[in-house]
Amino acid sequence: MSQRHIVVIGNGISGTTLARHVRKRSDDTITIISSESDYFYSRPALMYVYMGHMLQENTKPYEDRFWSENRINLRRAHVNRVDTVQKVLHLDDHSTMSYDVLVIASGSHSNPGSWHGSHFEGVQGLVSLQDLSAMESNTQNCSRAVVVGGGLIGVEMVEMLRSRGIHVTYLVREFKFWSSALRSEESDIVERHIIADHGVDLHTQTELKEILGDENGRVRAVLTTKGDEIPCSFVGIAIGVKPNIAFLQESGIETGTGILVNECFETSAKDVYAIGDCAEFRTALSGRTKIEQIWYTGRMQAETLAATLTGTTSVYRPVNFFNSAKLFDIEFQVYSRNVKIPDTCRSVFWMNHHRRCAIRLFYDPQTLRFEGVTLLGVRYRHEVCDRWLREEKDIEYVLCHLSDANFDPEFFRHYENYLVEEYNAKSGKQLQLKKRSWKRIFQGIGK
Amino acid sequence: MKKIRNIGRTLFAVGLLTFVLSLSMSHFVLTEKVAYSQLNTVYTGEGKTAYEILEPQLTQLYGKKYDSRFAFIADYRKIFSDYNAPLKAAGKWEQVIHDDKLVMVVKHSGAGLLTDQLWFRLVFLLSFIGTCIGALMIIFPEYAGKPFGIHNNGIYHSPASNGGWIGIVVGTFLILFYIVLYFFPQYITNWMLLADPVRKLFSENGEADQWFLYGFIYCLAMVVMGIRMLLKYRGNRYQQVRTFSVMFFQVCFAFMIPELLSALNQPSVDLKHIWPLHYNYFEGERIESMYAFGGIGIAMFWWGVALFVIGVPLFTYLYGKRWYCSWVCGCGGLAETLGDPYRQLSDKSVKAWKIERWMIHSVLVFVVIMTVLVLIAWQTKQDTVLGISSGMLKMIYGFLIGSVFSGVVGTGFYPMMGNRVWCRFGCPLAAYLGLIQRFKSRFRITTNGGQCISCGNCSTYCEMGIDVRWYAQRGQNIVRSSCVGCGVCSSVCPRGVLKLENAPEAGRINEDPIIIGHDGIRLKMD
Ligand SMILES: Cc1cc2nc3c(=O)[nH]c(=O)nc-3n(C[C@H](O)[C@H](O)[C@H](O)COP(=O)(O)OP(=O)(O)OC[C@H]3O[C@@H](n4cnc5c(N)ncnc54)[C@H](O)[C@@H]3O)c2cc1C
Ligand code: SF4
């Protein structure tokens, strides 16, 4: 293959993973253009910078010299316009750059919502470094804040503000916290933790109605759908993110909510691909969403496309779903066949409020096939859960071998036995928990 | 809560200040009794004691009051140098008298406030008990009533922990402390006086020298800061068990057991101190003195040898280097307790890693050569082996590595370069353990599939400067000779990615990992 110029827009996890994998397998010229930062950094780590756990410097996964050593050119600029006919990019510094292959990994921005008053100073979302520094200055001398949105970025914002002792009122539309991913018992554990342990003023089933400002154009309070007026000098909006596609308007590349792609990430324009937060599948893959806006999917999409670009035409085949998060002090993990575990699944459940842990194993009531597991405060082994899902093990097999899955540090309490007991009590069976076996755990790993 | 902390801060500051000021709470008068008791045991080449020879000059000092410790020491030393100068000029080295007893002479010549019972008690209480209680009053409210879980909030906002000015002040204090402790102990004899009552708990006639003082302060620091660790890592049993373990080994094995042994007239040995960290383990005089105790001394000597020959490889094979470095070792213990607030300051760059490998292995080579030469010299009774003076080599090692590196730099630079500077760049035992850990061990840090979000908490809080994230984000297990297995990467990871594990060796090192999650690499079938 002759040397092409592969240009990537966006230096997030998707863009950089693509560049790294293409570099491993080809000699093409690679350029990453991005306007937010000079170097790739970990977006999920933004909160830790605000909370003082790390410096922004520490959130960069690679040392600065990594990029030149791997012959990946970095360019700090914003792409204003894409000309897919001439194959040229128009940048905000009035220069142009031509490409042979274009990969758009432009990510997303915070959905600002459409409330009256969202333009007031002190109202913002959190996605970028610029948002982070805005938050830093917006929360100087702030004693009361409101955060809107019961997703992960929402809780993160709440945690950030609480780490600085700011009183936070947290508005969540749903009946229970994060009910899209958690069952009611788990939501309870989390809600109790953030209210009782971290002093968050949580309002579920409450939405923002209007933002009120003062004469200087700063926010002074919000009105909720329940009719309360809550004074505050900061409002965090975390009601979701939207793909960055504004710069593609005149390019002729087909877009919907995101950039429309097929399962090979081809857009409607020749030699133009899109991956990560900004890409939208024309038809959703089975069990998955049309737009996948998480870290891991961005990485996996990039790995797949990199294979295609270096000669092995590949289709995106995410297998089982996995994800994790941390809700204040409670770690959450999920391994499941589908992104959304069907409501028809039955579950074996154990929890301990005091220790803030819960384990829930899902299975199909007819076939007993294992459908996934969600965990609070307990860590499970990705490989093992993934293998059970792939091999379509039934719940009884999973229960007997549950010790293999535990990934908690040494000396931690183990709870697997309780699940077996729970299942036995309900089913009248006499399952026995087997001892952990390295042989089983490591089968198939590393091959 | 705030009130308690403020009282704690005040108490700590007053205690520390008292401790420092106690150094100037004496004037000095040499008495015949002190001179006799100290110097009449020092024999010179001619079979006479130093006291007998120097008596005429010493007499002139008796009863003379010095307000300044410096003047006292200068005059006392002048006696020796005046006597020695002509001998040195004439090359009569064997007749030269060394002022070995300087520290004890100064200590016992002190008079003034501290000889007053009431004052002594007050200063003792404030210096030792006051600082500790003060520190605990600062520590407890920080964690009391808070939910369990690790909260590193504000670490990089505080000049105490982000390498800022408070850290530099603390570091400077520690550096000065180590310099006087190792090289100018005669200036801190009042601290030894303060530690006397503690020594007397072990043996009625005992008294504290600088090493007892050091051991005592070391234990206090480890206990107080160990309690902080136990609180900070509530909800994490690995951290708690491990912290308890280092506290136990320091207080019992490094401090109390040797004291008790010596009170019972047995060899006073730290049974967990292993060559080559214990670099003079194979010194001829030491071996002879151990053997002089008969059975128990011989057993203890060979216990140490067995630890190094069998214990280290075996335990490191089974559990990794952590069994020693973050569960047993005193240096490691101090780093894990007193040093915990500074762990994030270690350098994570590849360059630092390169320097580290060069330095630590050089020290290992150095200590091996030094030890072999010293052993040969002992056996052949010739100082010079292969044209190198073994005594000189030993002295250089002791000064450069044993004192400056492990003490002054190793601990003094906690607040600037992180808490494991010594363990990472200098400790020859760590190098030995590390070689086994890297090449023949069941230990690794397992990476949990594809869950890493590259956030960097693990690398940031790695005290050994390992870029843990580099491996974690590629789905690769972490197998590094320097890893001391403190487990903090695993504790701070917000996504449950890391687990310290002892497991079969097969598959431990996965150089080219595949991150699970998708079957993307498939030929398209049109
Ligand atoms: C606060 C926060 C926490 C998160 N936590 C998690 C988590 O814990 N787990 C998880 O799985 N996911 C998490 N996510 C989601 C995850 O970060 C994203 O899915 C992921 O970063 C998307 O990566 P990307 O490479 O597709 O896009 P991005 O990381 O958004 O990178 C795109 C880059 O392209 C730049 N760009 C866009 N348009 C242009 C243009 N025209 N010209 C030049 N440059 C341009 C953007 O400025 C941006 O820097 C979190 C997101 C946020 C905001
Ligand atoms: S702390 Fe955990 S998630 Fe963050 S980089 Fe390290 S391994 Fe990855």
Side-chain angles (χ1 to χ4, degrees), chain A residues 24-260:
Chain A
K24 272 195 211 167
R25 282 181 258 155
S26 91
D27 236 5
D28 296 315
T29 306
I30 304 172
T31 304
I32 303 180
I33 307 180
S34 205
S35 50
E36 181 189 352
S37 60
D38 289 336
Y39 297 99
F40 170 44
Y41 74 94
S42 171
R43 197 171 298 287
L46 279 175
M47 63 182 297
Y48 302 113
V49 177
Y50 182 87
M51 298 201 298
H53 296 199
M54 285 192 274
L55 297 173
Q56 214 267 304
E57 187 71 19
N58 303 125
T59 66
K60 293 192 288 189
Y62 301 93
E63 282 186 56
D64 293 348
R65 52 181 215 182
F66 174 86
W67 305 102
S68 56
E69 275 172 11
N70 286 284
R71 290 176 295 125
I72 295 170
N73 308 314
L74 303 180
R75 176 84 182 266
R76 176 95 183 254
H78 192 76
V79 179
N80 283 341
R81 202 156 60 78
V82 177
D83 182 341
T84 55
V85 181
Q86 301 291 324
K87 291 191 158 186
V88 165
L89 305 178
H90 296 265
L91 309 183
D92 60 349
D93 53 9
H94 305 296
S95 63
T96 57
M97 182 182 287
S98 52
Y99 65 83
D100 298 310
V101 175
L102 179 67
V103 178
I104 305 172
S106 55
S108 43
H109 60 276
S110 183
N111 179 358
S114 51
W115 291 286
H116 187 271
S118 45
H119 62 280
F120 286 125
E121 218 181 296
V123 181
Q124 67 162 102
L126 176 71
V127 166
S128 66
L129 278 172
Q130 288 70 28
D131 294 337
L132 182 72
S133 46
M135 188 161 166
E136 186 71 52
S137 58
N138 279 334
T139 54
Q140 297 297 316
N141 308 318
C142 166
S143 60
R144 300 184 75 90
V146 170
V147 174
V148 185
L152 292 177
I153 299 180
V155 232
E156 286 184 4
M157 283 183 103
V158 176
E159 185 177 353
M160 290 160 78
L161 294 161
R162 289 300 299 140
S163 80
R164 302 232 180 145
I166 297 169
H167 179 277
V168 183
T169 303
Y170 187 19
L171 307 184
V172 171
R173 184 177 58 191
E174 290 75 22
F175 173 60
K176 287 257 165 163
F177 176 75
W178 207 26
S179 51
S180 62
L182 299 178
R183 296 283 151 114
S184 148
E185 289 85 352
E186 283 92 328
S187 288
D188 282 341
I189 294 184
V190 177
E191 284 183 9
R192 203 145 100 175
H193 177 56
I194 58 184
I195 296 170
D197 294 340
H198 287 283
V200 176
D201 177 23
L202 175 70
H203 297 228
T204 47
Q205 286 184 290
T206 311
E207 289 179 60
L208 180 61
K209 198 165 146 218
E210 189 182 335
I211 301 167
L212 310 173
D214 61 15
E215 61 277 12
N216 303 320
R218 266 205 76 89
V219 54
R220 67 170 175 82
V222 300
L223 282 182
T224 71
T225 46
K226 288 209 171 140
D228 296 323
E229 178 175 324
I230 303 167
C232 61
S233 57
F234 177 85
V235 178
I237 305 286
I239 53 163
V241 293
K242 281 183 164 176
N244 288 326
I245 51 172
F247 67 105
L248 298 174
Q249 261 169 7
E250 296 155 28
S251 66
I253 298 172
E254 272 183 60
T255 57
T257 307
I259 303 164
L260 295 175

Side-chain angles (χ1 to χ4, degrees), chain A residues 42 48 54 296, chain B residues 447 451-459 468-470 472-473 478 489 492-498:
Chain A
S42 171
Y48 302 113
M54 285 192 274
Y296 316 106
Chain B
T447 296
Q451 290 279 24
C452 177
I453 50 167
S454 298
C455 69
N457 274 297
C458 52
S459 298
V468 183
R469 165 174 54 192
W470 170 266
Q473 65 193 358
I478 295 106
C489 56
V492 297
C493 172
R495 295 295 179 269
V497 177
L498 305 161

Side-chain angles (χ1 to χ4, degrees), chain A residues 13 141 192 216 231 260 297 305 333 350-351 375 394 414 416 426 434:
Chain A
I13 177 68
N141 308 318
R192 203 145 100 175
N216 303 320
L260 295 175
T297 48
L305 178 59
Q333 288 189 335
W350 171 87
M351 71 169 194
L375 302 134
D394 63 42
H414 288 218
E416 283 67 40
K426 288 243 170 80
K434 293 200 174 141

Side-chain angles (χ1 to χ4, degrees), chain A residues 161-428:
Chain A
L161 294 161
R162 289 300 299 140
S163 80
R164 302 232 180 145
I166 297 169
H167 179 277
V168 183
T169 303
Y170 187 19
L171 307 184
V172 171
R173 184 177 58 191
E174 290 75 22
F175 173 60
K176 287 257 165 163
F177 176 75
W178 207 26
S179 51
S180 62
L182 299 178
R183 296 283 151 114
S184 148
E185 289 85 352
E186 283 92 328
S187 288
D188 282 341
I189 294 184
V190 177
E191 284 183 9
R192 203 145 100 175
H193 177 56
I194 58 184
I195 296 170
D197 294 340
H198 287 283
V200 176
D201 177 23
L202 175 70
H203 297 228
T204 47
Q205 286 184 290
T206 311
E207 289 179 60
L208 180 61
K209 198 165 146 218
E210 189 182 335
I211 301 167
L212 310 173
D214 61 15
E215 61 277 12
N216 303 320
R218 266 205 76 89
V219 54
R220 67 170 175 82
V222 300
L223 282 182
T224 71
T225 46
K226 288 209 171 140
D228 296 323
E229 178 175 324
I230 303 167
C232 61
S233 57
F234 177 85
V235 178
I237 305 286
I239 53 163
V241 293
K242 281 183 164 176
N244 288 326
I245 51 172
F247 67 105
L248 298 174
Q249 261 169 7
E250 296 155 28
S251 66
I253 298 172
E254 272 183 60
T255 57
T257 307
I259 303 164
L260 295 175
V261 295
N262 61 14
E263 43 185 18
C264 288
F265 305 104
E266 291 161 337
T267 66
S268 60
K270 190 170 173 332
D271 293 328
V272 179
Y273 303 83
I275 48 174
D277 269 26
C278 65
E280 176 180 357
F281 293 104
R282 287 173 192 274
T283 41
L285 303 171
S286 107
R288 317 281 293 197
T289 49
K290 273 192 171 178
I291 309 186
E292 299 189 312
Q293 282 162 326
I294 58 176
W295 184 262
Y296 316 106
T297 48
R299 193 197 71 223
M300 298 191 296
Q301 294 182 8
E303 287 166 358
T304 312
L305 178 59
T308 301
L309 294 183
T310 51
T312 319
T313 308
S314 303
V315 289
Y316 180 51
R317 281 285 172 270
V319 277
N320 300 309
F321 179 71
F322 65 97
N323 197 3
S324 55
K326 197 167 177 189
L327 312 155
F328 279 83
D329 301 322
I330 307 182
E331 287 176 21
F332 165 80
Q333 288 189 335
V334 55
Y335 302 101
S336 61
R337 198 174 306 283
N338 298 310
V339 174
K340 177 109 184 71
I341 299 171
D343 289 332
T344 52
C345 282
R346 202 173 286 166
S347 66
V348 191
F349 177 67
W350 171 87
M351 71 169 194
N352 180 316
H353 247 297
H354 173 67
R355 290 194 209 124
R356 307 179 313 222
C357 353
I359 305 173
R360 191 186 289 275
L361 300 165
F362 292 92
Y363 62 99
D364 184 288
Q366 257 85 53
T367 61
L368 297 188
R369 186 174 78 165
F370 173 57
E371 293 296 326
V373 51
T374 57
L375 302 134
L376 288 184
V378 179
R379 299 170 173 181
Y380 269 14
R381 214 179 273 269
H382 190 173
E383 267 98 352
V384 170
C385 297
D386 190 65
R387 191 179 324 128
W388 288 341
L389 290 164
R390 278 174 196 253
E391 294 177 357
E392 313 213 347
K393 297 293 190 211
D394 63 42
I395 184 70
E396 298 188 353
Y397 176 92
V398 167
L399 279 165
C400 292
H401 298 88
L402 210 50
S403 302
D404 292 354
N406 189 292
F407 198 70
D408 273 336
E410 293 146 303
F411 303 106
F412 273 44
R413 290 191 180 84
H414 288 218
Y415 307 115
E416 283 67 40
N417 223 350
Y418 297 115
L419 287 144
V420 177
E421 279 168 20
E422 168 76 20
Y423 183 82
N424 284 345
K426 288 243 170 80
S427 66

Side-chain angles (χ1 to χ4, degrees), chain B residues 10-55:
Chain B
T10 315
L11 193 56
F12 181 78
V14 171
L16 197 63
L17 202 68
T18 312
F19 187 55
V20 173
L21 289 181
S22 74
L23 291 180
S24 62
M25 285 180 188
S26 295
H27 59 260
F28 295 86
V29 184
L30 184 67
T31 60
E32 186 173 0
K33 190 170 149 228
V34 170
Y36 179 80
S37 65
Q38 295 298 332
L39 296 175
N40 207 35
T41 53
V42 178
Y43 283 88
T44 68
E46 296 157 64
K48 280 190 181 169
T49 68
Y51 178 76
E52 285 162 354
I53 298 172
L54 296 176
E55 201 190 346

